[in-house]
Amino acid sequence: MMAFFYLAYLFTSVTLYNGGTYPISAVKSIIVDRKYANEVDESGETLIPPRLHEFADTFAADLRDIWHLNVSVSVAEDRPPHSIYLTISEKTSFWYASGEVSSEGYAFEVTTSGITIHGASPLEGELQLGKSVDFPGWKIRGMMLDAARHYYPPKFIVELCSYMSFFKQNTLQLHLSDNLYNAGIYSREQSLSLYARFRLWSDAPEVEGLNKFKNESYTRAQFKAIQSHCVARGVTIIPEIEAPGHALPIVQWKPDLGLSSDLSLLNISHPDTIPTIKTIWNTFFDWFDSKTVHIGADEYTGEVSEYNRFVNEMAKFIRNNGSKSVRIWGTFPPKPDYDNITKDVSIQHWEFFEDNPLFDYIKNNYSVVNSDDTFYVVNKWSGSYPPKVNIAKSFHGNPATGGQWQPYIFDTNNETNNPERSNKYILGAIAPLWNDFGPNATVYSETYYAWREGIPVLADKQWGGDLSQEEFLTVFPTLRALAPAQNLERSIVSKSSTILRYDSKSSTQGYVSDMSRGKRVSDFSGNDYDASTNCARTSNNTLLVTPDCSLKTPLSSKGRNYTLTLKLYIESIEKQDATIISGADSTLMLTPNIALFASGNYYRLNSTLPLKTWVELSIVGRGEQTFASVRETSLEDSFPSASAVVGAEEEFRAVLGINGAYFVWAPIAIEAPIAELGGEDAGWTGEFAGLLLSSET
Ligand SMILES: *[C@@H]1O[C@H](CO)[C@@H](O)[C@H](O)[C@H]1NC(C)=O
Ligand SMILES: *[C@@H]1O[C@H](CO)[C@@H](O)[C@H](O)[C@H]1NC(C)=O
Ligand SMILES: *[C@@H]1O[C@H](CO)[C@@H](O)[C@H](O)[C@H]1NC(C)=O
Ligand SMILES: *[C@@H]1O[C@H](CO)[C@@H](O)[C@H](O)[C@H]1NC(C)=O
Ligand SMILES: *[C@@H]1O[C@H](CO)[C@@H](O)[C@H](O)[C@H]1NC(C)=O
Ligand SMILES: *[C@@H]1O[C@H](CO)[C@@H](O)[C@H](O)[C@H]1NC(C)=O
Ligand SMILES: *[C@@H]1O[C@H](CO)[C@@H](O)[C@H](O)[C@H]1NC(C)=O
Ligand SMILES: *[C@@H]1O[C@H](CO)[C@@H](O)[C@H](O)[C@H]1NC(C)=O
Ligand SMILES: *[C@@H]1O[C@H](CO)[C@@H](O)[C@H](O)[C@H]1NC(C)=O
Ligand SMILES: *[C@@H]1O[C@H](CO)[C@@H](O)[C@H](O)[C@H]1NC(C)=O
Ligand SMILES: *[C@@H]1O[C@H](CO)[C@@H](O)[C@H](O)[C@H]1NC(C)=O
C-alpha cells in the first residue's frame, strides 16, 4: 500500500477505474454530507477535534492554495455534479495492524461527475485522499522537536504541522524543557548559568521565576493557537516537560532541588521536589489540548526506587488532577526487586542500552512508542547521530527480510527483539530531533531541512506503507512542492532566475515622477515586485538613505539558493548594530563587521564594509552554506559590476560549543533578508543604487 495520496492523485486529472480521467479543475464545490457535518472524531489524542465541516473549509483553502481552484463549501444531503463529496462510513471498515478499529481510514471513489471520500471519521475528510481504500497501521505517527534547547517561533511549528500532515503524520511531540549537557567539569556556578530553558510563559505566581526568557517562550494564547492550527490538519501536539533528569531549568529556579552530584538531576528525596513538579503541571494542565502528556523521565542516574516513586506519583496526580495519561522515556525497565512503574504509563523506547522494549515492556503489558535512535537526528553535528534522518535505513530496516522498516521494528539488526506486527502494545512511532548544541548551532529552517526527506519517508512507513527508495525519489519533488499552508523553503514565484531587480541606472522610469520624494521603485525582473520608498532621490537617481526613511519590497525572505546583491554607498554608521536590510528570517547588519542576525543569534564575518565608496555587497545562500563578498564599484559601473571581489568570498559560520567546552565550526544556512532596506533606527546614512535577487549562485 502506498501512503502518498493527498492531492497527489489530483495533479491535473484523476485516472478513473474505467481508464478515463477526471480533471480536478472541473471540481466546483465541496459538499459536506449534512448528516455528518458536525461530526467529530473523539477517538484520537486531541481534546479539540475539528468538525467534518471545518475540515472541508481547510481542504477548500488548500485547493485554492495549490490548484488555484475557487471551490465553495456547502452542506447538503445530495451531491451535485463536479463536487467533492465528504461523508462518513457507517460501518467500521478500517483497522490498525493490531486489529483495533481505526477512525483514520477512508475510501475514495472517482466517477465522471466527481469525487466521493468516505471517511471513518471527520479526520479523513480533509487530508487523506487516494484511490480505493486506505487506513493506517498505527495510531501514533510523528516527530519530536527539541524546542527546549532551541526556540522555534509558533509560525514555524504550525508550518511544520502542515508539512507533516500532508504526509499523514498525526503527532508532534514538543520537548519544552531541557538544558545543554551539564558536564561533570563545571563548577556549581557554571551549571547554574548553563543554557537551560522552560518554554512556557505563565504569569501565575506559583511559577514565577521558573521562566526568565519571555521573548523565547510560548504564552498560553500562543500555545493554544499552535495546538488548534495543528489539529485543524489532524496533528496533535503532545507536550513534554522533562524531570527528574534534564531538569536544570527547574534547579536554576530552585537550586536546593538539584542533586549535589549533578545539578541537572532532581533530588527526588527532597521534600519540595515532587510538590514543585506537581505545581508546574497544575499550572499548565488546561493549556494542553491532548489526552496524553509527557513527563520526560529520561536518563536519570539517581536512585531507581526514587525514580519509580516519582513516575508513579506524577502519573497518579496527572490522571486525577489533569485527567490525562502519562508517557515517559524508557529508562528503568521493571525488575524483580523493584516497585515498578505503573502500567498505565506508556513508554517511549529510544535505545537498547536503556531497555529492551519487547522483553522489558511489551511482554509485561506496557504500551510502547517506538522512538528507537535508528532515526534520531542531532541538529547540525554530533559525535553519535546524523544531522538528517537516515532514510536508507527505513527502506532496509527489517532484519527478518532486509525490506522496509515499520513501527513494530525496534531492532533493525536482530529480529528476536521485535514483536509481531499485530502486537497491540505497539502504539506507533515518533522520530526525534535534538538540539544538543543549543540555540546558536542552527537557524529555524535547518530543522526543516534535517527532516525534509525524513518526514515523508517515515510517514509512509509509520502509516504502514512500503514505498521503495526509487519510488520515493521519483514522487518526492512533485509532492513536496504541493504541500499546502507552508513555505518552509521560503521560495518565491518568479518568471526567471532573476527574482527582484531594482537598478537606478536602468532608467529614470524606475521611479515615479515625483522627483524629490520617490514613492515607487520599479522591479525590472519582470515579476512586478515593485518597492515603495519614502527616501529622497538624489540627482544621480540613487536613493538617499537616512535613519528616517526606508525602501520596502513586497517580499520578505528567500531561502536557499540565492544571491542577494546590494549596491551601496555608506556615508556613516551611527550605531553599534546598523541594519542594512531586514526580512522575516534574518537581518543583514554592520556590527561594524558584516553580520547576519538570524534565529536570535549573530553570525559575524571578520570583514567590514568600506565607508564613503561605492560597493556591491553580495550575500550568497548556496546549499547548506552562506557567504558574503564585496566588490568595489562606481556609480557609473554596470550593475552588477564585473569587477573582482575584494579579498575573498567569506563564509558565515556557526561555532558549536557548550560553555567553551566543545568547539566545532560548522556551516549555517541563513535566508536572505529582503523586506526592508534601512528603516527606523537603522543607524546609517548613505545611498542605494541597486538590489538584485537571483536564485542562482
Ligand atoms: C469564487 O467564487 C465565488 C462564487 O462562487 C465568487 O463570489 C468569488 O468572487 C470567487 N472568487 C475568486 C477569487 O474568483
Ligand atoms: C537530597 O535531599 C535530602 C533531603 O533534603 C538530603 O538529605 C540529601 O542530602 C540530598 N541528596 C543529595 C545527593 O543532594
Ligand atoms: C488535586 O486536585 C484535588 C481535587 O481537585 C485538590 O484537592 C488538590 O489540591 C489538587 N492537588 C494539587 C497539588 O493541586
Ligand atoms: C516488577 O516487574 C518485574 C518484571 O515484570 C516483576 O518480576 C516484579 O515482581 C515486579 N515488582 C513488583 C513489586 O511487582
Ligand atoms: C498481560 O495481560 C494478559 C491479559 O491481557 C495476562 O494474561 C498476562 O498475565 C499479563 N502479563 C503480565 C506479565 O502481567
Ligand atoms: C538478539 O536478541 C536476542 C533477544 O534479546 C538476544 O538473546 C541475542 O543475543 C541477540 N543476538 C545478537 C546477535 O545480538
Ligand atoms: C552624482 O554623480 C556625480 C558624478 O558621478 C558625483 O560627482 C556626485 O557626487 C554624485 N552625487 C551624489 C549625491 O551621489
Ligand atoms: C531574546 O532576548 C534576548 C535578550 O535580549 C536576546 O539575546 C535573544 O536573542 C532574544 N531571542 C530571540 C529569539 O530573538
Ligand atoms: C575570523 O578570524 C579568525 C581569526 O583569524 C578565524 O579563526 C576565523 O575563522 C575567522 N572567521 C571567519 C568567519 O572567517
Ligand atoms: C544549491 O546549491 C547547492 C551547492 O551548490 C547544490 O548542491 C544544490 O543543488 C542547489 N540547490 C538548488 C535548489 O538549486
Ligand atoms: C554559540 O554558543 C557557544 C556557547 O554555548 C559559544 O561558545 C559559541 O561561540 C557561540 N557561537 C556563535 C557563532 O556565537
Side-chain angles (χ1 to χ4, degrees), residues 64 70-72:
R64 222 165 287 142
N70 185 8
V71 166
S72 65

Side-chain angles (χ1 to χ4, degrees), residues 538-540 635-636 687:
T538 70
S539 56
N540 290 329
L635 199 47
E636 294 74 31
E687 284 179 56

Side-chain angles (χ1 to χ4, degrees), residues 151 215-216 444 597 599-600:
Y151 170 73
N215 69 332
E216 296 177 354
Y444 308 132
F597 178 78
S599 298

Side-chain angles (χ1 to χ4, degrees), residues 527-587:
N527 292 322
D528 291 332
Y529 292 134
D530 292 357
S532 64
T533 184
N534 59 349
C535 293
R537 226 187 93 200
T538 70
S539 56
N540 290 329
N541 207 31
T542 64
L543 286 186
L544 186 63
V545 182
T546 53
D548 60 352
C549 80
S550 73
L551 171 97
K552 288 184 182 157
T553 81
L555 305 174
S556 182
S557 192
K558 171 74 178 88
R560 60 181 80 167
N561 293 344
Y562 66 82
T563 302
L564 170 66
T565 301
L566 299 169
K567 185 167 180 175
L568 298 168
Y569 180 99
I570 310 274
E571 176 69 35
S572 61
I573 294 178
E574 282 111 37
K575 60 185 268 214
Q576 172 65 39
D577 286 0
T579 296
I580 300 294
I581 186 168
S582 55
D585 299 298
S586 58
T587 306

Side-chain angles (χ1 to χ4, degrees), residues 36 70 137 171 204 278 310 356 371 387 494 685 692:
Y36 300 108
N70 185 8
T171 305
K278 286 182 177 171
F310 173 87
N356 183 308
S371 288
S494 181
T685 298
L692 179 63

Side-chain angles (χ1 to χ4, degrees), residues 137-138 141-143 169 405 407 429-431 458-464:
W138 292 271
R141 307 179 306 276
M143 310 303 282
Q169 288 189 325
W405 173 88
I430 290 178
L458 291 174
D460 175 63
K461 312 295 172 242
Q462 291 171 347
W463 181 267

Side-chain angles (χ1 to χ4, degrees), residues 380 440-441 596 602-606 624-627 650-656 664-670:
K380 192 65 68 75
N440 68 8
L596 281 166
Y602 288 89
Y603 301 93
R604 291 186 175 85
L605 299 181
N606 289 333
E624 294 170 356
Q625 296 169 284
T626 314
F627 302 88
E650 259 190 284
E651 185 179 355
F652 293 92
R653 287 201 289 171
V655 189
L656 278 53
V664 179
W665 287 85
I668 186 113
I670 304 176

